Amino acid sequence: MPNVGKSTLLNAFMGEKMAIVSPKPQTTRQRLFGILNAEDFQMIFSDSPGFVLNPSYKLHEDMNMIVQTAFKDADIIILVNDGYNTLSEHEDLIKALEKLPVPKVVVINKIDQLKAERIESVKEEFTKAMPESKIFEVSALNKKGITPLIEHLIEHLPLHPAYYPKDEISDRPIRYFVSEMVREKIFLNYKKEIPYSTEVVTEDYKDEENIARITVMIYVERNSQKAIILGKHGAAIKNVGIQARKDIEEFIGKQVYLELTVKVRNNWRNDINFLKKSGYR
Ligand SMILES: Nc1nc2c(ncn2[C@@H]2O[C@H](COP(=O)(O)OP(=O)(O)OP(=O)(O)O)[C@@H](O)[C@H]2O)c(=O)[nH]1
Ligand SMILES: [Mg+2]
């Protein structure tokens, strides 16, 4: 389900912020691997978009396809619930999961804001629906309940040589993280349809000795949206730039010069070529 805290959970597993997070559903659009390395195991966490129940654009179909792909190569599946989704919303998903021959784990997230009775009733529902699966209660935000969950996952990891070199923490290049950090600020700074009409692409990344010079393109679907993204005298986009630059600097440990440009790309959410170029298909 969207917005239940999957990306926050990935960050809690990894012990650092890798995936972007926002209070709005459909924040995550692509898959991201967080690779957790220890002396005797390597665990690859795959954060995925939430399932879009009523796809309105090709983009949504692509996001749902990404969820399906994630199912296919998972060794363990973690179904995250935040106590607000009803089980009926999960029914199709649970049916699809039943067919997969891998262990599943249920995580009830956001327990910091759930009443004890609510947690109990969600637990009861999932015990009935997925009797084979162990249920964990966590607060990904406060990093509570994460250690027992990781220990359980380690127990169920298949025996296999490490897939990635032990010093890698992700499958994505730095440009991807830059685009995502800008996109997160757009999700946090704008309302309604604006974040959903926006795609972010890192066009250029020049790594100099003391500074990284980065050019980022923000695509929107209409001129009116471009005006909103820019804001009066460019004030709104300036804020996005300041906030994103701070995060990027922290992430790469270096000073950043960040240039943001806004461009209109008509109906990009249904534009197959654009979606391909942006990595959705
Ligand atoms: N109170 C509380 N809020 C949480 C917790 N985990 C996540 N959140 C909040 O829930 C919202 C959604 O979190 P995300 O991690 O973006 O959720 P997601 O499942 O990745 O969402 P999508 O990518 O949109 O599907 C954010 O506002 C988070 O801060 C938690 O344990 N407690
Ligand atoms: Mg997410």
Side-chain angles (χ1 to χ4, degrees):
M1 290 290 114
N3 209 39
V4 292
K6 301 177 296 296
S7 300
T8 310
L9 185 61
L10 175 104
N11 294 337
F13 283 141
M14 294 299 298
E16 68 178 297
K17 181 160 175 189
M18 290 180 60
I20 63 165
V21 166
S22 94
K24 297 186 177 74
Q26 293 171 24
T27 300
T28 304
R29 290 184 185 156
Q30 298 201 28
R31 246 177 121 181
L32 172 69
F33 286 169
I35 307 167
L36 188 65
N37 291 297
E39 194 116 309
D40 53 353
F41 70 85
Q42 175 175 78
M43 198 159 0
I44 305 168
F45 292 105
S46 166
D47 184 25
S48 69
F51 202 77
V52 186
L53 285 174
N54 300 304
S56 327
Y57 298 94
K58 290 209 165 63
L59 170 71
H60 294 156
E61 292 166 18
D62 289 355
M63 286 161 65
N64 285 349
M65 197 50 112
I66 291 168
V67 179
Q68 301 287 345
T69 315
F71 282 173
K72 275 185 204 134
D73 34 81
D75 295 312
I76 305 171
I77 295 174
I78 307 175
L79 182 63
V80 188
N81 179 287
D82 64 1
Y84 297 107
N85 321 103
T86 59
L87 195 62
S88 61
E89 283 179 293
H90 279 86
E91 251 166 23
D92 289 344
L93 206 59
I94 290 173
K95 269 191 207 124
L97 292 183
E98 269 169 8
K99 296 195 188 110
L100 301 170
V102 296
K104 290 122 213 161
V105 173
V106 176
V107 166
I108 303 171
N109 185 33
K110 308 194 187 180
I111 56 163
D112 55 287
Q113 58 176 31
L114 292 175
K115 291 215 171 80
E117 306 93 79
R118 181 83 205 138
I119 298 174
E120 281 317 304
S121 74
V122 176
K123 251 168 101 173
E124 219 169 274
E125 283 184 340
F126 276 95
T127 312
K128 275 194 202 126
M130 298 173 68
E132 315 264 284
S133 307
K134 198 158 174 186
I135 302 175
F136 288 84
E137 298 163 32
V138 310
S139 166
L141 187 69
N142 299 336
K143 301 188 178 67
K144 290 268 157 60
I146 303 298
T147 308
L149 175 54
I150 289 197
E151 279 164 4
H152 180 80
L153 296 174
I154 293 172
E155 271 173 39
H156 288 84
L157 280 185
L159 206 57
H160 196 281
Y163 281 96
Y164 287 89
K166 283 288 187 94
D167 55 354
E168 277 181 28
I169 60 161
S170 174
D171 61 326
R172 294 283 187 174
I174 184 70
R175 281 168 179 248
Y176 180 81
F177 288 99
V178 169
S179 307
E180 285 292 273
M181 284 184 254
V182 172
R183 210 164 59 76
E184 181 187 69
K185 301 313 170 201
I186 292 170
F187 264 72
L188 296 175
N189 281 276
Y190 300 93
K191 294 190 197 108
K192 295 184 184 150
E193 192 60 14
I194 296 295
Y196 299 105
S197 325
T198 306
E199 176 62 341
V200 178
V201 178
T202 302
E203 303 257 299
D204 195 36
Y205 188 103
K206 276 198 197 75
D207 201 12
E208 295 174 8
E209 199 180 335
N210 297 317
I211 194 167
R213 294 182 194 280
I214 310 174
T215 312
V216 168
M217 190 65 77
I218 299 172
Y219 289 96
V220 289
E221 295 195 312
R222 290 195 296 274
N223 260 320
S224 56
Q225 294 164 344
K226 179 173 171 175
I228 294 171
I229 291 273
L230 293 172
K232 212 172 175 189
H233 307 301
I237 196 163
K238 193 173 166 196
N239 273 333
V240 169
I242 291 169
Q243 294 165 16
R245 179 169 49 88
K246 244 177 94 188
D247 279 14
I248 301 166
E249 284 180 340
E250 200 170 306
F251 193 76
I252 64 174
K254 197 184 232 182
Q255 206 187 331
V256 163
Y257 174 77
L258 180 64
E259 191 182 302
L260 301 177
T261 311
V262 189
K263 219 179 193 171
V264 177
R265 173 104 190 191
N266 251 323
N267 202 18
W268 68 260
R269 284 180 283 184
N270 280 320
D271 180 339
I272 290 177
N273 282 333
F274 185 80
L275 292 171
K276 265 190 197 154
K277 233 179 77 190
S278 309
Y280 291 102
R281 49 174 71 199

